[in-house]
DNA sequence: TAGTGGTCTAGACCACAGT
DNA sequence: CTGTGGTCTAGACCACTAC
């Protein structure tokens, strides 16, 4: 095992562990660190980079949590045998499409304040019939319809207009309004398209659709968004990485 | 903020951070620590339990990663505003059903050695046409069909028989054979049932089905299982928790 | 300005894997 | 046995938040 192509800049404001993790990640993605490769042990790595062992461990743990490395006590740390595609993160469909080079556009079909139905009030921890903002949108990617989305937000969080929604993702607007999303709980299922859904999505009645409902929470634990979405299964799927421990 | 009902036993072989995390988790689940509750800061907590700050941090980080707590620099650590249901983990459908009190049974429809199709050889990082074990099963929960499952495994990993598969989950057999699963990559989608699938699953032709394909890796990064499953959307869905950072 | 979590160090001892 | 990662300590300084 030779030296790794990693350097750290102690003047940088970027945390040391993160500089290391990012460079290792790039090497793995580029194939310089091939699947199956065993890394030197923590102590050696820490010495090579003049870091303390806990800091080196933090870098490695970051990549283990991402599913790029696996470690086994008494054995060592190795690169996982797989080319990784990007998997679900706490970002919106809009962000995902932008990143994957698609060209998302959005039509806002409805935006109004409504009394919260029981299910939504529950999910957002609001009093029943509290007023919430309801948004219905149709999302296109490369000029083909992709998803029908309905979202509910507590009032007063951020200023939302149809114009903004057609130019930005909902999560982008939330972040711009100072809302830091931290946790989301999702349920993914499937159903057959109704006539109206089929018409909107350019499918035929009965076509398989993916359903996703999500409640998102901010950095102080408040529920800030509830969404229920319908995706064309012919054009969309969810990828995820699971880690044991 | 009063004392937390947490104690640690230093003679126990269970790591201290884990003892703390488990007890906090129980308090959260039981409602003793209500959603929105703010925890004392790390230093105080560590002192109360006579632990070092890093150890206390590790306990908290564990729960943050699980989506039960959120933290914000300069502010503090709070309980997330939501009742959590169990979400997808690196376990098999069989394990999940057992845990949720259902009564899964399994019919093995086929178990044989076949030359690996290109797609499977790729996923498992094997030579094309290497021989693999192919398993086709039908899973029932409470006497109703739930899922049609096809799995591929490299030969020689563990000893698998139809009898064992009808009494245990596949992952259980792998673990019993010394295979430690660590990472899995999944894709979740939807499709309409064919006539044959509909017959097996007691659905009608064209019914919406959830699809899941998964490649699982062990603790040294080897691909050890590839599966492609079909679930009745009317009786099954996936739950997951996403964490930012 | 006071209080919080985020990062970092330099050690120590232990449990487990493979020889 | 040797080598690996897992746990734990007791400090230090910094960045961010809220008042």
């Amino acid at each position: 095992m030779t030296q790794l192509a990693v350097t750290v800049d102690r003047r940088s404001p970027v945390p040391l562990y993160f500089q290391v993790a990012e460079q290792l990640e790039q090497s793995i993605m580029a194939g310089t660190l091939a699947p199956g490769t065993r890394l030197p042990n923590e102590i050696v790595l820490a010495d090579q980079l003049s870091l303390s062992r806990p800091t080196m461990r933090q870098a490695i743990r970051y990549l283990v949590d991402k599913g790029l490395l696996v470690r086994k006590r008494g054995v060592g740390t190795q690169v996982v045998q797989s080319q990784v595609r990007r998997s679900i993160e706490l970002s919106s469909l809009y962000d995902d499409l932008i990143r994957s080079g698609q060209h998302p556009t959005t039509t806002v079909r409805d935006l109004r304040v409504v009394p919260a139905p029981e299910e939504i009030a529950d999910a957002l921890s609001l009093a029943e019939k509290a007023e919430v903002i309801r948004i219905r949108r149709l999302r296109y990617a490369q000029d083909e319809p992709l998803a029908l989305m309905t979202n509910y937000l507590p009032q007063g969080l951020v200023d939302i207009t149809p114009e903004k929604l057609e130019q930005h993702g909902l999560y982008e607007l939330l972040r711009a309004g100072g809302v830091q999303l931290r946790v989301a709980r999702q349920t993914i299922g499937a159903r057959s398209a109704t006539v109206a859904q089929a018409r909107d999505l350019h499918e035929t009645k009965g076509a398989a659709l993916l359903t996703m409902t999500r409640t998102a929470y901010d950095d102080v634990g408040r529920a800030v968004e509830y969404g229920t979405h319908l995706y064309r299964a012919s054009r969309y799927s969810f990828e995820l990485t699971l880690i044991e421990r």
Side-chain angles (χ1 to χ4, degrees), chain A:
Chain A
M1 194 63 223
T2 70
Q3 298 273 118
L4 292 181
V6 177
T7 58
V8 294
D9 174 6
R10 301 192 89 100
R11 294 166 316 174
S12 161
V14 178
L16 299 178
Y17 82 89
F18 193 76
Q19 293 183 35
V20 175
E22 259 193 332
Q23 291 175 63
L24 286 179
E25 181 169 5
Q26 282 167 13
S27 296
I28 293 171
M29 291 309 193
T32 317
L33 283 176
T37 307
R38 220 181 97 195
L39 264 56
N41 74 50
E42 301 176 343
I43 316 273
V44 170
L45 281 172
D47 279 355
Q48 279 182 13
L49 299 172
S50 303
L51 296 174
S52 69
R53 185 182 165 203
T55 301
M56 194 61 224
R57 270 181 74 75
Q58 195 174 359
I60 291 175
R61 188 176 50 85
Y62 177 85
L63 295 177
V64 169
D65 287 348
K66 257 196 161 181
L68 296 175
L69 298 177
V70 285
R71 32 186 11 192
K72 190 179 183 180
R73 171 152 44 173
V75 176
T77 305
Q78 294 172 263
V79 179
V80 169
Q81 202 78 242
S82 107
Q83 67 299 21
V84 197
R85 294 160 302 235
R86 149 161 237 104
S87 78
I88 318 185
E89 288 174 7
L90 192 32
S91 55
S92 64
L93 175 58
Y94 190 81
D95 301 338
D96 289 340
L97 292 171
I98 293 266
R99 240 192 322 254
S100 61
Q102 318 245 6
H103 303 284
T105 58
T106 309
T107 309
V108 176
R109 317 193 101 201
D110 189 40
L111 192 166
R112 69 175 69 185
V113 173
V114 300
E118 185 179 349
E119 185 195 352
I120 281 78
D122 255 27
L124 295 177
S125 301
L126 297 174
E128 179 117 9
K129 294 189 181 162
E131 296 201 318
V132 292
I133 299 166
R134 187 186 69 193
I135 306 166
R136 292 193 198 278
R137 291 171 297 168
L138 185 51
R139 175 86 86 222
Y140 294 79
Q142 294 172 325
D143 298 323
E144 269 288 305
L146 180 65
L148 261 169
M149 309 185 289
T150 305
N151 294 83
Y152 297 85
L153 286 78
Q155 266 194 303
L157 257 191
V158 289
D159 179 41
I160 291 192
T161 64
E163 293 69 34
K164 288 185 185 174
L165 277 173
E166 303 207 334
Q167 301 228 336
H168 304 279
L170 176 58
Y171 277 24
E172 200 184 325
L173 291 180
L174 283 170
R175 280 186 232 270
V179 176
Q180 281 291 333
L181 298 164
R182 277 296 155 81
V183 182
R185 304 238 147 77
Q186 298 192 174
T187 302
I188 298 173
R191 65 185 301 175
S192 296
T194 65
V195 173
Q197 290 159 0
R199 189 186 54 234
D200 287 339
L201 291 171
H202 291 192
E203 292 278 349
T204 56
K205 174 171 183 261
L209 301 179
L210 258 179
T211 65
M212 190 271 278
T213 69
R214 163 158 70 182
T215 308
Y217 303 84
D218 73 358
D219 54 8
V220 291
R222 287 181 307 178
V224 291
E225 185 250 344
Y226 176 86
T228 169
H229 299 180
L230 284 170
Y231 304 86
R232 295 173 74 177
S234 54
R235 301 177 65 87
Y236 196 74
S237 60
F238 293 97
E239 302 203 337
L240 48 140
T241 299
L242 306 180
I243 314 292
E244 177 79 351
R245 290 209 168 233

Coordinates of all heavy atoms in Angstrom, one line a residue, chain A residues 1 4 32-33 36 38 42 56 62 78 80 86 99 116 143 148 154 156 169-170 174 176 190 229:
Chain A
M1 N 0.8 -1.2 0.0 CA 0.0 0.0 0.0 C 0.9 1.3 0.0 O 1.7 1.5 0.9 CB -0.9 0.0 1.3 CG -2.0 1.0 1.2 SD -3.2 0.7 -0.1 CE -3.5 2.3 -0.7
L4 N -1.4 7.7 0.0 CA -2.6 8.1 -0.7 C -2.4 9.6 -1.1 O -1.7 10.3 -0.5 CB -3.8 8.1 0.3 CG -4.2 6.7 0.8 CD1 -5.3 6.7 1.7 CD2 -4.6 5.9 -0.5
T32 N -9.3 5.5 -8.7 CA -7.9 5.4 -8.2 C -7.8 4.5 -7.0 O -6.9 3.7 -6.9 CB -7.4 6.8 -7.7 OG1 -7.8 7.8 -8.7 CG2 -5.9 6.9 -7.6
L33 N -8.8 4.6 -6.2 CA -9.0 3.6 -5.1 C -10.0 2.6 -5.6 O -11.2 2.8 -5.5 CB -9.4 4.2 -3.8 CG -8.4 5.0 -3.0 CD1 -9.0 5.7 -1.8 CD2 -7.3 4.0 -2.6
G36 N -12.6 -2.9 -3.3 CA -11.8 -4.0 -2.7 C -10.5 -3.5 -2.1 O -9.9 -4.2 -1.3
R38 N -7.7 -2.2 0.1 CA -7.6 -2.0 1.6 C -6.8 -0.8 1.9 O -5.7 -0.6 1.4 CB -7.0 -3.2 2.2 CG -7.7 -3.6 3.5 CD -7.0 -4.8 4.2 NE -6.1 -4.4 5.2 CZ -5.2 -5.2 5.7 NH1 -5.1 -6.4 5.3 NH2 -4.4 -4.8 6.7
E42 N -5.7 3.2 10.6 CA -6.0 4.6 11.0 C -4.8 5.3 11.5 O -4.6 6.5 11.3 CB -7.0 4.5 12.2 CG -8.3 3.9 11.8 CD -9.2 3.8 13.1 OE1 -8.7 4.0 14.2 OE2 -10.4 3.6 12.9
M56 N -8.8 11.4 11.9 CA -8.7 10.5 10.8 C -10.0 9.6 10.9 O -10.6 9.3 9.9 CB -7.4 9.7 10.9 CG -7.1 8.9 9.6 SD -6.9 10.0 8.2 CE -7.9 9.1 7.0
Y62 N -17.3 9.1 8.1 CA -18.1 9.8 7.2 C -18.3 9.0 5.9 O -19.4 8.9 5.4 CB -17.4 11.2 6.9 CG -18.1 12.0 5.8 CD1 -19.2 12.9 6.2 CD2 -17.8 12.0 4.5 CE1 -19.8 13.7 5.3 CE2 -18.4 12.8 3.6 CZ -19.4 13.6 3.9 OH -20.1 14.4 3.0
Q78 N -11.9 -1.2 3.8 CA -11.8 -1.5 2.4 C -12.9 -0.7 1.6 O -13.9 -0.3 2.2 CB -12.0 -3.0 2.2 CG -10.9 -3.8 2.7 CD -11.2 -5.3 2.7 OE1 -11.7 -5.9 3.6 NE2 -10.9 -5.9 1.5
V80 N -15.9 -0.4 -0.9 CA -17.0 -1.3 -1.3 C -17.0 -1.6 -2.8 O -16.6 -0.8 -3.6 CB -18.4 -0.7 -0.9 CG1 -19.5 -1.4 -1.5 CG2 -18.5 -0.6 0.6
R86 N -26.0 8.2 -7.2 CA -26.4 9.2 -6.2 C -27.7 8.6 -5.6 O -28.6 8.2 -6.3 CB -26.6 10.5 -6.8 CG -27.7 11.4 -6.3 CD -27.5 12.8 -6.7 NE -27.4 13.6 -5.5 CZ -26.3 14.0 -5.0 NH1 -25.2 13.8 -5.6 NH2 -26.3 14.7 -3.9
R99 N -29.4 18.5 -10.7 CA -28.1 17.9 -10.5 C -27.9 16.8 -11.6 O -26.8 16.6 -12.0 CB -28.0 17.2 -9.2 CG -26.9 17.7 -8.3 CD -26.7 16.9 -7.1 NE -27.9 16.4 -6.6 CZ -28.5 16.8 -5.4 NH1 -27.9 17.8 -4.8 NH2 -29.6 16.3 -5.0
A116 N -56.7 22.9 7.6 CA -55.9 21.7 7.5 C -56.8 20.5 7.7 O -57.5 20.4 8.7 CB -54.8 21.6 8.5
D143 N -39.5 18.5 -20.8 CA -40.8 18.7 -21.5 C -41.8 17.6 -21.4 O -42.8 17.6 -22.1 CB -40.6 19.1 -22.9 CG -39.8 20.4 -23.1 OD1 -40.0 21.3 -22.2 OD2 -39.0 20.5 -24.0
L148 N -47.0 14.8 -10.1 CA -48.0 15.6 -9.6 C -47.8 15.8 -8.1 O -47.7 14.8 -7.4 CB -49.4 14.9 -9.8 CG -50.3 15.3 -10.9 CD1 -51.4 14.3 -11.1 CD2 -50.8 16.7 -10.8
P154 N -47.2 25.1 7.1 CA -47.8 26.0 8.1 C -47.7 27.4 7.6 O -46.8 27.8 6.8 CB -46.9 25.9 9.3 CG -46.1 24.7 9.1 CD -46.0 24.4 7.6
G156 N -47.0 31.4 7.4 CA -46.1 32.4 8.1 C -44.7 31.9 8.1 O -43.8 32.7 8.5
G169 N -37.2 25.4 -6.6 CA -37.8 24.3 -5.9 C -38.4 24.8 -4.6 O -37.9 25.8 -4.1
L170 N -39.3 24.0 -4.0 CA -39.9 24.4 -2.7 C -38.9 24.4 -1.6 O -38.8 25.3 -0.8 CB -41.0 23.4 -2.4 CG -41.7 23.6 -1.1 CD1 -42.3 25.0 -0.9 CD2 -42.8 22.5 -0.9
L174 N -37.6 27.4 0.9 CA -37.6 27.2 2.4 C -36.3 27.6 3.0 O -36.1 28.3 3.9 CB -38.0 25.8 2.8 CG -39.5 25.4 2.7 CD1 -39.7 23.9 2.9 CD2 -40.3 26.2 3.7
A176 N -34.0 29.5 1.6 CA -33.8 30.9 1.4 C -34.5 31.7 2.5 O -34.1 32.8 2.9 CB -34.3 31.3 0.0
A190 N -47.2 2.4 -4.2 CA -47.6 2.5 -5.6 C -49.1 2.4 -5.7 O -49.8 2.0 -4.8 CB -47.0 1.3 -6.4
H229 N -46.9 13.1 -3.2 CA -46.5 13.2 -4.6 C -46.9 11.9 -5.4 O -46.8 10.8 -4.8 CB -45.0 13.5 -4.7 CG -44.6 14.7 -4.0 ND1 -43.3 15.2 -4.0 CD2 -45.3 15.7 -3.4 CE1 -43.2 16.3 -3.4 NE2 -44.4 16.6 -2.9

